[in-house]
Amino acid sequence: MAGVKSLAKDTAIYGMSSIIGRFLNWCLVPMYTHLFAKSEFGVVTYIYSITALLLIILTCGMETGYFRFANDDKLKNPAKVYTTSLAFIASLSLVFVAGVTMLATPISDCLECSGHKDYIILMAAAVAIDAVTAIPFAYLRYKKRPLRFAALKLINIFLNIFLNIFFLVICPWIIKTSPGLIDGIYSPDYGIGYIFLTNFITSAITLLTLLPELRAEKYTFDGKLLRTMLNYSYPLLILGIAGIMNQSIDKILYPLITSHPETAMADVGVYGANYKIAIVMVMFIQAFRFAYEPFIFAQNKETGQNKLQAYRDAMKYFVIFGLFIFLGVMFFIDIIKYFVAPEYFVGLKVVPIIMIAELFFGIFFNLSLWYKLTDRTIWGTWFSLLGLAVTIILNVLLVPHFGYMGCAWAAFGCYTTMMVTSFFVGKSKYPIGYDIKTISVYFIIAMGLYALSALTATGNKLIDFPVRIILLAGYAALVIFKEKPHKKFIKSSQK
């Protein structure tokens, strides 16, 4: 339990930056949806879906590889692991930016933003910088410096929000009240381009704030070590590519397979905006992920049943909190929905499907420890490629008939498949002994409470909200009564 307590503490600290940051960026969605047409927001969603994939490619799975080899007692030189990783990613990123800059015009034509190659160059530079900074941020996690990690992430986030508000709200107001005052730095016609410009500026400043980490170690480059790391990480790279494609390929494919191409970008905008509502679950998973990877490699040094019990407890509490988040969002969706403009409400039906799909992805991430600890990362590749195949097949089959609802069900089918296959393979390769019975009971109860809230809904918020608060409190009370987490943590602290 002590290990899980440490994991919970680090998750809370990392989560402060991840959850607060994603929440604040989430708060930009209503501004975007009110300022821009659905088709314009669709272009933003489309380009960000592609850049998310590019970031995975440029980092090459080296974050996990860094943790693996920095904790390897045989190497005895974690500094060399850090500088070798950093030098490789930086070189790759420079080549990427140069290539995109030369091909910016044809790329912009392909990405539904013809005539705006500057969008492409700005986002290429931003994603390259983000790839480079991923290694110093991993270094902070390895050094167990979550507070500095969180502080730098929050600086990035607040700057991003400020610049978005400056360019999209303050500057238009200045133009109206004092024409000509900012003509040199602002053009009203640039529109969504300011979203991409803001992204680039914040990424560049983040790089500057990480200068102490960039200069923290004496630079040495070991080609043999790099080959070893890439041999370990390339399955994770394929896993990452498949994983991010599972999240974004629906938005990328949608204009190509929809039966209504004339409204494709507007549909992508509606789907992307409502996907943002479900991002609460993604925030929780991301915060957990930041703490979990260092935790599992450190815990692996323990012997006996202690480490296995820590893994079991981590899974159980992850599901418990994930279901609590699901219920909280769905019980109060009538309030949360106002984070997007009313014309986007038509897509709210995707939210519960996406949230459960993301919860299943989080469970899959928990299950992934067995192949990471045993250096059999190729299994992660197979699972993700299987999920990608399911995603593509279901999108192609469902989208022409059901529009973006087909995208949501494809995501659900993908993550369910990955979770189930990883569980059964892991059960034979590296048995942990998860408490499946208890986890299943909590899931059934949570789904029952969600169904009960829907069946008893009257449409009167003064009646419905108190009922849902009671239901949510009932779930929390059941967990506390059964798990007694407060007693376990107190007992752990006394050891």
Side-chain angles (χ1 to χ4, degrees):
M1 197 69 185
V4 176
K5 181 181 178 182
S6 175
L7 174 63
K9 183 185 74 173
D10 285 354
T11 298
I13 297 174
Y14 289 122
M16 180 179 68
S17 61
S18 180
I19 293 175
I20 293 175
R22 284 181 178 264
F23 174 76
L24 293 175
N25 282 322
W26 186 38
C27 292
L28 292 172
V29 174
M31 182 172 72
Y32 293 157
T33 56
H34 280 88
L35 290 176
F36 303 116
K38 289 185 287 188
S39 58
E40 289 181 296
F41 186 69
V43 171
V44 174
T45 302
Y46 192 64
I47 291 178
Y48 271 103
S49 297
I50 294 171
T51 54
L53 172 61
L54 292 173
L55 180 59
I56 295 295
I57 294 172
L58 289 177
T59 52
C60 296
M62 293 293 276
E63 286 179 275
T64 302
Y66 168 64
F67 289 121
R68 164 65 179 83
F69 290 96
N71 283 284
D72 192 333
D73 293 332
K74 295 179 182 178
L75 293 176
K76 298 180 181 179
N77 193 349
K80 183 184 290 187
V81 177
Y82 171 60
T83 57
T84 297
S85 304
L86 186 56
F88 172 72
I89 297 299
S91 300
L92 182 63
S93 297
L94 284 173
V95 172
F96 166 75
V97 173
V100 170
T101 301
M102 289 188 291
L103 300 172
T105 298
I107 293 173
S108 66
D109 293 339
C110 293
L111 299 185
E112 305 293 331
C113 53
S114 180
H116 287 286
K117 68 177 184 179
D118 48 316
Y119 294 0
I120 305 305
I121 295 172
L122 285 171
M123 290 308 296
V127 76
I129 294 171
D130 290 345
V132 173
T133 57
I135 303 302
F137 275 120
Y139 178 79
L140 287 173
R141 291 158 62 195
Y142 170 75
K143 289 291 186 179
K144 297 191 182 299
R145 299 184 62 191
L147 292 177
R148 176 160 171 77
F149 179 101
L152 294 181
K153 288 287 187 180
L154 288 173
I155 290 172
N156 173 287
I157 291 153
F158 283 114
L159 179 62
N160 181 58
I161 292 170
F162 168 76
L163 289 175
N164 266 280
I165 294 173
F166 175 74
F167 285 122
L168 300 179
V169 178
I170 297 175
C171 285
W173 175 79
I174 294 175
I175 288 290
K176 289 181 180 180
T177 57
S178 304
L181 183 62
I182 57 173
D183 286 352
I185 64 169
Y186 178 78
S187 171
D189 297 332
Y190 200 51
I192 60 174
Y194 284 111
I195 297 176
F196 306 128
L197 177 61
T198 292
N199 201 150
F200 167 72
I201 294 172
T202 53
S203 294
I205 292 177
T206 299
L207 182 65
L208 294 177
T209 62
L210 284 164
L211 282 176
E213 283 67 41
L214 293 170
R215 299 183 299 183
E217 304 287 355
K218 181 180 178 181
Y219 274 80
T220 55
F221 182 83
D222 188 329
K224 182 179 178 181
L225 172 61
L226 176 62
R227 288 191 294 273
T228 303
M229 293 181 70
L230 289 174
N231 188 56
Y232 173 84
S233 296
Y234 88 84
L236 296 177
L237 169 61
I238 299 173
L239 185 156
I241 292 173
I244 201 66
M245 286 185 72
N246 286 332
Q247 296 177 25
S248 59
I249 194 67
D250 50 359
K251 305 173 191 69
I252 297 172
L253 285 177
Y254 194 90
L256 304 175
I257 59 178
T258 178
S259 57
H260 301 285
E262 68 280 1
T263 62
M265 278 302 157
D267 289 344
V268 171
V270 171
Y271 179 60
N274 284 280
Y275 204 109
K276 292 288 187 181
I277 294 176
I279 209 169
V280 178
M281 186 68 74
V282 181
M283 290 189 283
F284 169 60
I285 294 169
Q286 182 70 11
F288 184 85
R289 174 182 174 273
F290 279 137
Y292 194 58
E293 281 191 335
F295 166 78
I296 62 170
F297 286 112
Q299 197 71 28
N300 195 44
K301 296 178 181 178
E302 302 292 328
T303 58
Q305 286 294 313
N306 287 340
K307 68 177 181 181
L308 295 182
Q309 188 59 47
Y311 299 148
R312 294 170 194 143
D313 290 340
M315 172 68 85
K316 182 170 65 174
Y317 285 108
F318 173 84
V319 174
I320 287 171
F321 282 108
L323 290 170
F324 183 85
I325 291 169
F326 170 80
L327 291 174
V329 170
M330 296 316 305
F331 283 173
F332 302 102
I333 191 68
D334 290 336
I335 295 174
I336 295 172
K337 70 181 182 181
Y338 289 102
F339 277 96
V340 299
E343 57 263 35
Y344 291 80
F345 289 175
V346 65
L348 285 170
K349 52 194 175 183
V350 307
V351 175
I353 303 169
I354 294 298
M355 289 201 73
I356 293 297
E358 291 292 346
L359 176 64
F360 286 174
F361 175 73
I363 294 173
F364 167 75
F365 180 80
N366 271 269
L367 294 169
S368 70
L369 68 88
W370 72 264
Y371 58 76
K372 291 180 180 178
L373 292 177
T374 58
D375 291 352
R376 288 184 280 185
T377 50
I378 190 65
W379 277 100
T381 303
W382 303 135
F383 296 141
S384 291
L385 289 175
L386 173 62
L388 179 58
V390 172
T391 299
I392 294 173
I393 291 170
L394 289 181
N395 269 283
V396 170
L397 291 176
L398 299 178
V399 166
H401 302 287
F402 304 104
Y404 51 75
M405 280 300 293
C407 298
W409 283 114
F412 179 86
C414 162
Y415 293 139
T416 301
T417 301
M418 291 168 61
M419 175 184 68
V420 172
T421 54
S422 181
F423 170 75
F424 282 108
V425 175
K427 190 176 181 181
S428 63
K429 301 288 185 180
Y430 192 93
I432 302 293
Y434 296 112
D435 190 353
I436 299 301
K437 180 180 178 180
T438 299
I439 291 172
S440 299
V441 168
Y442 282 128
F443 183 83
I444 292 170
I445 290 173
M447 294 303 102
L449 292 174
Y450 171 52
L452 182 61
S453 73
L455 292 172
T456 58
T458 64
N460 186 334
K461 294 181 177 60
L462 294 178
I463 297 175
D464 292 343
F465 283 171
V467 170
R468 293 169 185 175
I469 290 172
I470 292 171
L471 293 176
L472 189 62
Y475 174 80
L478 174 66
V479 170
I480 293 172
F481 173 77
K482 190 174 188 309
E483 301 298 327
K484 299 178 175 58
H486 53 296
K487 292 185 178 180
K488 293 179 181 178
F489 280 116
I490 291 172
K491 183 179 179 180
S492 175
S493 299
Q494 293 173 343
K495 289 184 178 180

